[in-house]
């Protein structure tokens, strides 16, 4: 399987360190507001990566964090904690806000059929691991304290920008443009590991005792502490959005590798953003859409999932309502083509092979989808197409088997007979109902009783 690695900026052959186990870590949401379709695009991308690994026979130990403290409104240690901001906005406590939006997040990812991570780790429930890591970094001399915080000293870590490939001077300028909030910082790009609940954070609600005095963790440290706690010192794959490359992931690498002396993650996978009608989603434009907006306009969350497949994960995706409408139609069509037949279970091997090849080329989902359509238009018998579609759906996750429906060309007489049979069954006249079933079969059709009602299929 080939996968693009942000570290090398090339597509590499992926092999885990200890097959069949793949240690995969995903930066999870900061739970202070509703989950929007941009988030969903990213997490669907991670889901495709995980399912493709599973398709290749790997066992994926997938860990994801929930950021419920410490992520400031600027990634550069300025501003206030997003959770505290959310608490003020919604008139709740930070943890009430966190749990509320965490639930919204999981409801949203369930609706687009994303597999839940094997382990979900909340930052607030792993404070001791974070403190341990900071203490260790202090002992090794990678940190310093000011009146406001414990900082990681990036000048002590060689090759700090190996992921971002930024010039340090570039980064310096970037960091300098931020509001300078702590004049005692040695280098502008040093980042906080632990904030003290004094000064600008004296009213911060979430706080814990620590060897560095009372406070709360900086954002980056949670991911290093929790990923290494659950997955060991070297991860196979770390994922996130492209926005995380320059600060968050760069800092994760610095603190983890400074502590362990080992490679933190062998592969870095970054997902490009989603924009709406060619513009960035923003509050002022009122275009931060959630699944509620999608449902309110009569579309299914799975149609959105399908829509994301049309853009490769490393390219920006442009969301439009007309594209979603087309996606919904395409999905309905697939459900029709995939109608279940009680037939010999043989698929179309060449298409299945092409489909897998596409995914194994750096998750080329757009190509995989076009293979799916070529299969659907091919001359293979319907039952074989259906069988292959079910198999492909183990990666696509469009719930094709559950939604497959036959509505094509069933003669009215057969439909009437099935209706009569349903009535008899409701009256518990099973013998009479069974006679009709046999008659239907004699005419070349089969009835199946599913939990969604009776399904009529052509007999093979
Ligand atoms: P956050 O909760 O803001 O930390 O975001 C969680 C994840 O969603 C991050 O990995 C972001 O990169 C990603 N994300 C946020 N906005 C978008 C967007 N518009 N398109 C794609 N991914 C996004
Ligand atoms: Zn992270």
């Amino acid at each position: 399987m080939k996968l693009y690695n942000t570290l090398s900026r090339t597509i590499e052959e992926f092999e885990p360190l200890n097959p069949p186990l793949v240690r995969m870590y995903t930066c999870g949401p900061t739970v202070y507001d509703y989950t929007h379709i941009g988030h969903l695009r990213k997490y669907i991308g991670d889901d495709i990566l995980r399912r493709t690994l599973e398709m290749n026979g790997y066992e994926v130990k997938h860990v994801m964090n929930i950021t419920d403290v410490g992520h400031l409104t600027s990634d550069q240690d300025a501003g206030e904690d997003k959770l505290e901001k959310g608490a003020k906005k919604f008139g709740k406590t930070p943890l009430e806000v966190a749990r509320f939006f965490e639930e919204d997040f999981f409801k949203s990812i369930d609706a687009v059929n994303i597999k839940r991570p094997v382990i979900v780790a909340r930052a607030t429930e792993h404070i001791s691991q974070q403190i341990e890591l900071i203490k260790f970094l202090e002992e090794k001399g990678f940190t310093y304290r000011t009146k406001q915080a414990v900082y990681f000293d990036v000048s002590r870590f060689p090759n700090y920008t190996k992921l971002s490939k930024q010039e340090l001077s570039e980064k310096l300028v970037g960091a300098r443009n931020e509001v300078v909030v702590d004049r005692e910082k040695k280098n502008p790009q040093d980042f906080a590991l632990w904030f003290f609940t004094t000064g600008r954070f004296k009213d911060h609600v979430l706080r814990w005792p620590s060897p560095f005095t009372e406070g709360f963790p900086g954002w980056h440290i949670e991911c290093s502490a929790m990923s290494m706690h659950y997955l060991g010192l070297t991860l196979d794959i770390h994922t996130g959005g492209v926005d995380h490359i320059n600060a968050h992931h760069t800092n994760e690498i610095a603190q983890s590798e400074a502590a362990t002396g080992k490679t933190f993650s062998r592969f870095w996978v970054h997902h490009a953003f989603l924009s709406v009608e060619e513009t960035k989603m923003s509050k002022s434009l009122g275009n931060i859409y959630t699944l509620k907006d999608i449902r309110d306009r009569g579309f299914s969350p799975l149609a959105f999932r399908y829509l994301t497949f049309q853009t490769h994960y490393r390219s920006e995706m442009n969301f439009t309502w007309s594209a979603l409408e087309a996606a919904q139609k395409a999905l309905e069509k697939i459900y029709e083509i995939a109608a279940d037949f009680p037939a010999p279970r043989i698929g179309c091997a060449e298409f299945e092979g092409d489909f897998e090849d596409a995914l194994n080329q750096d998750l080329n989902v757009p190509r995989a989808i076009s293979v799916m359509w070529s299969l659907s238009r091919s001359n293979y018998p319907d039952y074989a197409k259906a069988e292959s579609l079910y198999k492909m759906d183990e990666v696509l996750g469009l719930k094709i088997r559950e939604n497959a429906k036959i509505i094509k060309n069933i003669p009215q007489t057969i439909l009437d007979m099935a209706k009569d049979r349903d009535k008899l069954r409701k009256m518990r006249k099973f013998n009479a109902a069974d006679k009709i079933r046999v008659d239907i079969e004699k005419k070349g059709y089969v009835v199946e009783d599913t939990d969604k009602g009776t399904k009529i299929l052509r007999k093979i």
Side-chain angles (χ1 to χ4, degrees):
M1 169 176 177
K2 291 201 160 48
L3 197 56
Y4 182 85
N5 188 351
T6 310
L7 258 185
S8 64
R9 300 286 194 277
T10 56
I11 293 174
E12 296 179 32
E13 187 64 36
F14 173 77
E15 269 285 339
L17 262 187
N18 301 98
L21 178 69
V22 174
R23 300 174 176 89
M24 173 165 151
Y25 184 85
T26 291
C27 285
T30 304
V31 280
Y32 72 110
D33 214 334
Y34 291 100
T35 299
H36 58 59
I37 57 175
H39 298 126
L40 289 176
R41 189 228 173 167
K42 191 210 86 98
Y43 291 101
I44 291 168
D46 284 334
D47 188 52
I48 291 291
L49 168 59
R50 170 172 169 185
R51 287 172 184 254
T52 299
L53 290 162
E54 288 170 348
M55 173 192 87
N56 284 302
Y58 294 121
E59 225 171 81
V60 185
K61 188 168 177 190
H62 184 200
V63 178
M64 186 189 75
N65 68 306
I66 296 286
T67 299
D68 52 1
V69 67
H71 189 177
L72 304 192
T73 44
S74 143
D75 286 355
Q76 238 85 30
D77 295 342
E80 62 178 323
D81 188 323
K82 289 183 177 183
L83 266 301
E84 305 263 328
K85 193 176 167 190
K88 279 179 211 146
K89 178 171 159 193
F90 296 101
K92 295 183 181 181
T93 67
L95 280 188
E96 280 169 356
V97 165
R99 300 303 173 255
F100 179 84
F101 289 115
E102 181 184 315
E103 200 188 324
D104 176 67
F105 173 78
F106 280 112
K107 273 193 197 146
S108 304
I109 68 165
D110 286 349
V112 293
N113 202 22
I114 291 172
K115 287 190 183 183
R116 289 201 182 195
V118 180
I119 294 170
V120 174
R122 291 172 176 156
T124 53
E125 290 170 0
H126 296 77
I127 297 295
S128 64
Q129 286 87 351
Q130 298 175 64
I131 289 177
E132 280 311 303
L133 184 54
I134 300 167
K135 255 169 54 186
F136 193 64
L137 288 168
E138 275 205 331
E139 280 159 24
K140 291 187 100 176
F142 285 102
T143 69
Y144 63 93
R145 298 185 190 187
T146 69
K147 285 189 215 57
Q148 296 191 29
V150 182
Y151 288 101
F152 187 92
D153 183 346
V154 303
S155 68
R156 302 294 310 277
F157 183 74
N159 220 351
Y160 171 66
T161 55
K162 70 178 168 190
L163 184 71
S164 68
K165 313 266 187 275
Q166 279 182 315
E167 290 296 321
L168 202 54
S169 55
E170 220 180 293
K171 176 119 191 156
L172 270 168
V173 173
R176 263 199 201 116
N177 287 342
E178 296 275 340
V179 189
V180 179
V181 283
D182 189 346
R183 301 208 171 271
E184 289 179 274
K185 259 170 90 163
K186 286 190 194 163
N187 318 289
Q189 69 274 37
D190 292 347
F191 57 92
L193 300 167
W194 187 265
F195 290 106
F196 304 143
T197 33
T198 52
R200 69 179 164 127
F201 291 123
K202 70 177 181 340
D203 296 325
H204 202 268
V205 178
L206 292 169
R207 50 178 73 201
W208 291 266
S210 84
F212 338 107
T213 77
E214 193 183 62
F216 63 96
W219 171 36
H220 318 293
I221 195 74
E222 68 177 81
C223 286
S224 291
M226 299 195 290
S227 62
M228 293 196 287
H229 176 68
Y230 288 109
L231 295 169
L233 304 187
T234 298
L235 319 174
D236 290 304
I237 306 177
H238 193 310
T239 77
V242 284
D243 56 324
H244 286 163
I245 297 172
N246 291 349
H248 186 50
H249 290 166
T250 289
N251 295 348
E252 277 188 42
I253 291 175
Q255 32 182 45
S256 307
E257 299 192 353
T260 68
K262 294 189 160 66
T263 300
F264 173 48
S265 182
R266 299 169 55 241
F267 277 73
W268 287 86
V269 170
H270 289 104
H271 300 274
F273 263 46
L274 170 147
S275 53
V276 171
E277 314 275 0
E278 311 279 0
T279 40
K280 193 172 178 251
M281 283 193 288
S282 77
K283 287 231 163 67
S284 53
L285 291 174
N287 64 354
I288 304 184
Y289 297 126
T290 66
L291 282 186
K292 184 178 180 306
D293 299 306
I294 286 192
R295 288 196 180 99
D296 284 352
R297 298 200 192 197
F299 299 110
S300 79
L302 288 177
F304 175 75
R305 182 176 172 102
Y306 177 84
L307 180 62
T308 67
F309 294 163
Q310 294 171 353
T311 312
H312 187 254
Y313 77 96
R314 285 195 284 119
S315 302
E316 192 154 306
M317 171 181 164
N318 181 35
F319 174 87
T320 63
W321 289 104
S322 58
L324 184 62
E325 193 174 342
Q328 177 91 43
K329 285 197 183 122
L331 189 59
E332 296 287 336
K333 183 112 195 104
I334 283 294
Y335 289 159
E336 246 180 67
I337 292 164
D340 195 0
F341 283 83
R345 288 289 166 223
I346 304 164
C348 319
E350 93 229 37
F351 287 106
E352 287 175 17
D354 289 350
F355 180 84
E356 290 185 10
D357 287 349
L359 289 169
N360 282 337
Q361 285 299 321
D362 191 30
L363 312 174
N364 196 336
V365 187
R367 204 172 91 207
I369 289 293
S370 85
V371 173
M372 180 186 81
W373 283 108
S374 304
L375 158 81
S376 302
R377 292 191 201 100
S378 73
N379 292 327
Y380 274 100
D382 284 358
Y383 70 82
K385 289 181 186 174
E387 189 55 27
S388 288
L389 287 171
Y390 301 156
K391 185 132 185 251
M392 293 172 178
D393 202 40
E394 284 169 25
V395 178
L396 299 177
L398 295 169
K399 299 202 176 181
I400 292 178
R401 191 187 284 275
E402 291 97 308
N403 290 296
K405 52 188 157 202
I406 267 242
I407 36 174
K408 293 179 294 188
N409 309 328
I410 309 264
Q412 193 56 43
T413 48
I414 303 289
L415 294 173
D416 291 343
M417 286 167 83
K419 249 191 216 151
D420 291 343
R421 177 177 168 270
D422 276 351
K423 272 188 214 148
L424 290 167
R425 278 166 59 84
K426 281 204 185 101
M427 295 189 290
R428 309 192 68 77
K429 294 187 178 165
F430 294 113
N431 283 343
D434 224 37
K435 269 206 193 108
I436 298 186
R437 183 184 57 79
V438 173
D439 285 346
I440 291 176
E441 283 190 21
K442 277 190 196 143
K443 291 182 187 291
Y445 292 86
V446 192
V447 277
E448 264 189 14
D449 299 305
T450 71
D451 48 8
K452 279 184 279 167
T454 309
K455 212 158 148 184
I456 309 165
L457 311 161
R458 258 174 295 162
K459 196 172 168 183
I460 303 295

